[in-house]
Amino acid sequence: MKKTITVLAALFLSCCGMQAQDGKSANLTFQRPRLVVGIVIDQMRWDYLYRYQQRYTEGGFKRLLNQGYSFENTRIPYIPSVTAIGHTCIYTGSVPTIHGIAGNNFYKDGKKVYCTTDKTVTPVGTKSESGQMSPRNLWVTTISDEMKLATNGRSKVVGVSLKDRASILPAGHTPDGAFWFDDETGNFVTSTYYMDKLPAWVTRFNRERHAEKYLSEKWQTIYPKDSYIESTADNTEYEDGIKAGEKALLPLDLPSLYKKYGYEIIRKTPFGNSITFDMARAAIEGEHLGEDDDVDLLAVSCSSTDYIGHQVGPNAVEIEDTYLRLDRSIADFLNYLDEKVGKGNYLVFLTADHGAMNNARFLQDRRIPAGAWSNSEVADRLNARLSETFPGCGKIVSEVMNYQVFFDIARIRQLHLDYDRIKQCVVDELLTDSSVHYACDMNKVMTATIPDDVKRRIINGYCHGRSGDVQIVLKPGFYAHSMKGTDHGAWTPYDTHIPLIFMGWGVSHGSTTELTEMTDITPTIAALLHVQAPSGCVGKPLLP
């Protein structure tokens, strides 16, 4: 009897202890890092993490892999896989059908628009139209916005990139600033959507003339050129020059090219990434990011990898050298964060907005099916076919873009034409093209004989009123691009398999090959920070 009473008493005390412990746990104050840094490498295929690894430093990509958590099978869940949508998806956890950014260019109210153009704002830091930009075409919040809301505006948010869209869309609706590079002045600029004049730290940075310094020397390879065994020979038929008429050959005489073409040359050199990280450091210093207990966010996008990739393709010496230099820039930047913010005080993630296909001629030379496809030629052919079926209709296909067919809806209505019949005529004509794998009327996509994996990406990428009403899916290895350089935009792994690594605050080392998606990045950050997921988020948290 005594033994039974003793056991019951122990159980009672245990329960009381558990309740007290639970109560204590419930009252614990959650913590946040001081700074979240997003690094998006434009056009970085997943395999670049490993392709050049033998020459990567210990502090760049290797450090991220060795100290962070790598999601080795991260895919993009929509098409077209392009820059504006990718950056938007990363920071919203959403897809075009919800967030509204349907491409780098899309249609709005029947007119073609650039994703961030806003004629209601005025350039700041330049007189160029490149400053007339804002996030007003974005329908949902970003993780940046949600951090602002969660801290009653105390969190600071800054976006930095050469490309306006890669700075503006990640920074969201409510940042302290979004800054991008202006080719006319060589400055980082913004618009009156954000502020009436540049902050003193940006003005000071611009006065240092970083672009001119980088363009004052030749682009030489880090190592002897003949040791770049992961690349084809330099200046092959697969490559375009930095400008029409220029050879795709290293070393590149940047001083003379700068004199000839101006500041825009820096975009197609590795030093565009260098100046981006310079600006990122200046933003941390100037905005005092990571200096208090209210978590801040810095969105950094490296765009030169995309410009160079389009020019020379994935197998060029220029790409290999660019990634070796980028690795060193990342290592230097992570070391800077260690010193400025402190190890364990910041969370960093690295990913890409899309990948890229191997050059079509490069594939053909290796007996792999591939080819180029012309948007304008296809549009002309479709209009010719429609003129035969609907005499006198004129040009009712406005454009083929984003692997979609856009129609002149106003003209179709004016002529009282059968829109469903027009779309079916276009689909039938497209399916006679040997480069086309699938084509479908978006109103009938659910019943189209298209694999579910591809169909889901089509549906996620379709934004009513902004996307074309007929979707085109080319066969793997085919793209709407010339036979030099490369492009992206398809559903295939080379375009949609991207790197994703989290490192730092709250992250343990590890990796997984389980399928994850780009839409999962933002809800993971939201869960770690204990803030609400953005208003259009459809992803899931990846880390416990």
Side-chain angles (χ1 to χ4, degrees):
M1 181 68 176
K2 186 181 290 186
K3 183 178 180 181
T4 302
I5 292 173
T6 302
V7 172
L8 289 171
L11 288 170
F12 175 77
L13 290 172
S14 176
C15 289
C16 290
M18 288 173 66
Q19 288 176 351
Q21 188 175 2
D22 287 346
K24 181 180 178 181
S25 180
N27 291 327
L28 283 175
T29 302
F30 68 85
Q31 294 181 329
R32 290 171 175 152
R34 290 185 176 179
L35 179 64
V36 176
V37 180
I39 302 175
V40 179
I41 311 301
D42 204 324
Q43 203 186 117
M44 182 176 179
R45 293 158 48 125
W46 165 83
D47 59 321
Y48 290 164
L49 280 176
Y50 302 98
R51 183 170 183 171
Y52 312 122
Q53 195 175 97
Q54 188 173 355
R55 281 180 161 175
Y56 284 157
T57 65
E58 293 301 318
F61 290 118
K62 282 185 180 179
R63 177 180 173 184
L64 290 165
L65 287 168
N66 292 333
Q67 296 183 15
Y69 198 99
S70 180
F71 295 89
E72 297 284 299
N73 191 21
T74 301
R75 294 288 298 272
I76 296 173
Y78 58 79
I79 50 175
S81 46
V82 296
T83 296
I85 305 179
H87 283 79
T88 305
C89 179
I90 290 166
Y91 285 88
T92 64
S94 190
V95 290
T97 191
I98 296 172
H99 61 56
I101 303 301
N104 296 333
N105 297 283
F106 49 82
Y107 274 71
K108 180 181 175 183
D109 301 325
K111 296 180 180 179
K112 184 178 177 180
V113 299
Y114 176 65
C115 57
T116 52
T117 292
D118 185 350
K119 297 300 183 181
T120 70
V121 301
T122 303
V124 174
T126 181
K127 295 180 180 179
S128 166
E129 290 184 356
S130 68
Q132 288 189 286
M133 303 288 167
S134 86
R136 286 199 171 106
N137 285 326
L138 176 61
W139 289 338
V140 302
T141 60
T142 63
I143 186 64
S144 324
D145 295 321
E146 296 298 335
M147 288 169 60
K148 281 280 192 181
L149 294 171
T151 60
N152 199 28
R154 294 189 302 275
S155 289
K156 291 184 177 180
V157 172
V158 178
V160 172
S161 179
L162 295 183
K163 292 183 180 180
D164 46 62
R165 58 188 181 271
S167 171
I168 291 168
L169 297 169
H173 300 278
T174 59
D176 296 87
F179 305 97
W180 54 94
F181 188 75
D182 175 49
D183 290 342
E184 283 194 15
T185 61
N187 292 336
F188 277 84
V189 301
T190 190
S191 78
T192 51
Y193 176 89
Y194 305 97
M195 57 196 69
D196 293 329
K197 65 178 182 177
L198 291 175
W201 66 266
V202 178
T203 300
R204 186 165 56 250
F205 180 87
N206 287 335
R207 284 175 180 164
E208 292 169 356
R209 311 313 299 164
H210 289 254
E212 290 175 20
K213 293 175 184 177
Y214 285 119
L215 293 172
S216 67
E217 297 181 3
K218 291 183 178 181
W219 174 7
Q220 304 266 13
T221 54
I222 296 176
Y223 300 101
K225 193 162 58 172
D226 59 6
S227 71
Y228 282 61
I229 60 174
E230 305 302 333
S231 305
T232 54
D234 203 8
N235 194 28
T236 68
E237 61 180 356
Y238 312 134
E239 306 171 38
D240 257 334
I242 197 167
K243 279 288 201 178
E246 304 290 346
K247 290 184 178 180
L249 184 65
L250 296 180
L252 203 59
D253 188 353
L254 297 182
S256 64
L257 289 167
Y258 165 52
K259 185 176 181 180
K260 193 173 182 180
Y261 300 111
Y263 291 108
E264 67 174 290
I265 290 300
I266 199 169
R267 295 180 183 268
K268 295 182 180 180
T269 76
F271 311 111
N273 296 328
S274 303
I275 197 174
T276 300
F277 278 113
D278 291 343
M279 183 63 175
R281 289 186 186 87
I284 292 172
E285 302 279 352
E287 295 293 340
H288 305 285
L289 303 180
E291 291 187 7
D292 57 34
D293 293 333
D294 288 310
V295 57
D296 301 324
L297 184 141
L298 175 64
V300 182
S301 179
C302 296
S303 302
S304 288
T305 41
D306 183 69
Y307 289 114
I308 298 168
H310 279 295
Q311 172 192 324
V312 297
N315 301 290
V317 171
E318 287 88 343
I319 280 290
E320 184 171 353
D321 195 64
T322 293
Y323 275 90
L324 295 179
R325 290 176 179 276
L326 176 60
D327 174 69
R328 296 181 180 195
S329 294
I330 291 171
D332 290 344
F333 187 63
L334 293 177
N335 287 335
Y336 167 79
L337 292 175
D338 291 341
E339 296 173 7
K340 181 65 179 177
V341 186
K343 284 185 177 181
N345 290 330
Y346 65 89
L347 168 67
V348 63
F349 69 89
L350 181 141
T351 189
D353 54 348
H354 54 74
M357 193 182 103
N358 287 303
N359 172 266
R361 184 176 281 114
F362 171 90
L363 292 175
Q364 289 174 353
D365 287 348
R366 285 147 183 82
R367 295 179 295 182
I368 297 173
W373 196 76
S374 170
N375 286 326
S376 59
E377 289 178 8
V378 171
D380 290 343
R381 196 174 87 230
L382 293 176
N383 275 317
R385 169 67 189 276
L386 289 168
S387 293
E388 293 174 1
T389 309
F390 304 92
C393 68
K395 183 181 176 181
I396 54 178
V397 169
S398 300
E399 189 167 11
V400 176
M401 177 178 67
N402 298 333
Y403 298 105
Q404 298 161 353
V405 182
F406 292 80
F407 296 90
D408 186 341
I409 304 298
R411 182 169 181 80
I412 290 170
R413 288 173 178 166
Q414 180 186 6
L415 298 175
H416 304 290
L417 299 175
D418 185 335
Y419 191 30
D420 288 337
R421 190 177 165 213
I422 288 171
K423 288 186 289 182
Q424 188 58 54
C425 182
V426 164
V427 168
D428 292 342
E429 179 65 21
L430 287 168
L431 291 175
T432 67
D433 189 325
S434 62
S435 302
V436 173
H437 211 165
Y438 309 106
C440 66
D441 178 346
M442 286 306 304
N443 284 339
K444 301 176 181 177
V445 64
M446 291 301 293
T447 58
T449 53
I450 299 174
D452 288 342
D453 193 41
V454 180
K455 187 181 296 184
R456 175 172 174 258
R457 286 176 167 81
I458 292 172
I459 293 169
N460 284 343
Y462 176 72
C463 182
H464 179 69
R466 293 188 172 186
S467 298
D469 285 339
V470 167
Q471 178 72 51
I472 305 162
V473 178
L474 299 184
K475 291 176 181 175
F478 289 78
Y479 54 20
H481 191 71
S482 75
M483 292 297 283
K484 292 182 179 288
T486 191
D487 203 11
H488 49 84
W491 68 272
T492 46
Y494 50 73
D495 279 0
T496 62
H497 186 190
I498 56 173
L500 174 58
I501 309 171
F502 288 88
M503 190 195 82
W505 186 93
V507 179
S508 300
H509 171 60
S511 66
T512 180
T513 56
E514 297 254 341
L515 178 63
T516 53
E517 295 188 331
M518 182 189 272
T519 47
D520 299 332
I521 297 171
T522 269
T524 301
I525 300 167
L528 287 170
L529 301 186
H530 293 88
V531 302
Q532 184 61 270
S535 56
C537 184
V538 296
K540 63 183 185 301
L542 297 176
L543 294 170

